[in-house]
Amino acid sequence: MTLPTVAVVICAYTQQRWGDLQAAVESAKRQPEATEVVVVIDHEPELLLRAAARWPELRVVPNTEDRGLSGARNTGVALAESDVVAFLDDDAAADPDWLMHLVEALDLPDVVGVGGRAIPSWPDATGAGPFPDELLWIVGCSYTGLPTEAGDVRNVIGSSMAFRRDVLLAAGGFRSGIGRVGNQPLGCEETELCIRIAQMRPESRIRYEPRSTVSHRVSPDRVSMRYVRRRSYYEGISKAVLSRRVGARDSLSSEGTYLTRVLPGALLRELGALGRGGGTRALAIVTSVAATVTGYAVGRTLGTVVVRTAAPAPARERVVV
């Protein structure tokens, strides 16, 4: 059997994560299955020069599409020469067998995409902050409510995932106007892609493989109730954009169980642990739900769109209602 060639694409946008980016790239280079590693710099010329000097043996390239994670990922896909394209966040470090498990999952019949497990690496000074395990999606990590064993899922988590390159190209890649730009905490671009692939190819399967693990660093600014509220609000806006693009039925098919079963159970558990930190975690759950619902209502009612520009200055990106 001929093993597929695999490109690992890592996208970066700020020098503030330079240490994290180095850890991510080096962990990708250590993967035996990696045929090539592509580092895409998102409209940050100084970071591009710095990264190119640090890894002259790798393909370090600028994002040639719209500013943002979707455009950077598409740039990597276009330049990759491999059968499979895996994506690793610039603040995530992969376990030694991370890529092996992703590639093995893609060898199953009709599987076109696979996602792994992301474990949070908390800041030493702050710890986990207000996050119960059910809210770990807020910091881009695997959360309670996901399958505990390998199986088919609707969508993957973006910090650790892989797709067949021909399927990515046929689907049109990641869509701009829905995902993260700089530190603006929008999301759902991976969800939108997975749903679009399923609509285009109903026989295809998206897989979750928890043995494929990365350590995802959580920066201190994300360990606060303020970030819970902000990230959840923008998640609601992202879901509203997603529902307009792929339909409410598909875009919210997994959220119903999460909202009606997973979170209520978590809230009851935390209320029962008042005095042992449960009050803070219970407040985080209520805050997250309220902010997400508000963001979704704003997005659906007022038609919120996210304006992207290719300019590197964050001031040029804004949310328009």
Side-chain angles (χ1 to χ4, degrees):
M1 180 181 66
T2 302
L3 295 176
T5 53
V6 185
V8 179
V9 173
I10 300 171
C11 304
Y13 72 96
T14 176
Q15 294 193 65
Q16 294 178 358
R17 292 185 179 182
W18 177 246
D20 296 329
L21 177 60
Q22 292 185 85
V25 173
E26 293 304 319
S27 74
K29 288 173 57 181
R30 289 192 293 267
Q31 304 295 313
E33 295 75 20
T35 310
E36 54 181 328
V37 177
V38 181
V39 181
V40 183
I41 305 302
D42 188 16
H43 297 276
E44 220 287 30
E46 292 184 5
L47 178 58
L48 177 64
L49 292 174
R50 189 177 187 182
R54 174 65 178 80
W55 296 290
E57 76 280 13
L58 301 181
R59 186 175 297 183
V60 180
V61 299
N63 176 11
T64 58
E65 295 194 6
D66 290 342
R67 182 170 178 252
L69 185 54
S70 292
R73 285 172 171 167
N74 288 340
T75 296
V77 173
L79 291 175
E81 299 175 351
S82 300
D83 305 316
V84 171
V85 182
F87 299 90
L88 181 68
D89 273 6
D90 65 339
D91 55 356
D95 280 7
D97 57 358
W98 165 71
L99 197 55
M100 177 188 74
H101 290 301
L102 294 181
V103 173
E104 286 179 349
L106 283 170
D107 194 43
L108 296 172
D110 299 323
V111 173
V112 298
V114 58
R117 183 166 60 115
I119 299 173
S121 176
W122 301 105
D124 293 338
T126 57
F131 296 101
D133 288 346
E134 289 79 4
L135 293 185
L136 290 181
W137 60 267
I138 290 175
V139 290
C141 292
S142 302
Y143 56 92
T144 297
L146 288 177
T148 57
E149 298 180 351
D152 291 358
V153 292
R154 182 192 65 180
N155 62 274
V156 298
I157 293 178
S159 58
S160 168
M161 58 183 180
F163 294 89
R164 298 187 185 279
R165 183 172 179 267
D166 60 344
V167 173
L168 279 176
L169 294 174
F174 296 88
R175 294 281 171 83
S176 296
I178 189 171
R180 184 176 288 267
V181 174
N183 62 1
Q184 191 179 51
L186 290 155
C188 291
E189 62 267 47
E190 305 91 8
T191 303
E192 194 271 347
L193 172 64
C194 291
I195 293 173
R196 188 155 29 91
I197 289 174
Q199 293 175 343
M200 180 184 72
R201 299 176 54 159
E203 75 284 357
S204 66
R205 299 162 58 199
I206 304 294
R207 192 82 173 167
Y208 173 61
E209 177 47 80
R211 292 179 299 171
S212 176
T213 304
V214 303
S215 176
H216 199 181
R217 192 179 79 84
V218 181
S219 57
D221 62 298
R222 297 185 181 186
V223 187
S224 67
M225 198 67 72
R226 180 178 181 273
Y227 188 76
V228 170
R229 183 172 56 252
R230 183 168 181 257
R231 175 69 183 91
S232 298
Y233 174 78
Y234 277 102
E235 180 70 9
I237 287 181
S238 298
K239 292 294 185 187
V241 175
L242 181 65
S243 66
R244 290 201 305 273
R245 292 194 174 191
V246 300
R249 178 178 178 180
D250 287 338
S251 66
L252 301 177
S253 61
S254 298
E255 283 70 14
T257 300
Y258 178 73
L259 284 172
T260 60
R261 296 184 184 179
V262 176
L263 286 184
L267 182 60
L268 288 174
R269 182 194 67 228
E270 299 301 343
L271 289 175
L274 293 176
R276 303 191 303 275
T280 300
R281 292 189 292 270
L283 178 60
I285 293 171
V286 173
T287 299
S288 178
V289 172
T292 302
V293 170
T294 300
Y296 184 81
V298 169
R300 291 292 291 177
T301 304
L302 302 181
T304 300
V305 296
V306 179
V307 177
R308 305 251 189 263
T309 73
R316 291 286 301 278
E317 64 188 55
R318 62 197 187 278
V319 174
V320 176
V321 179

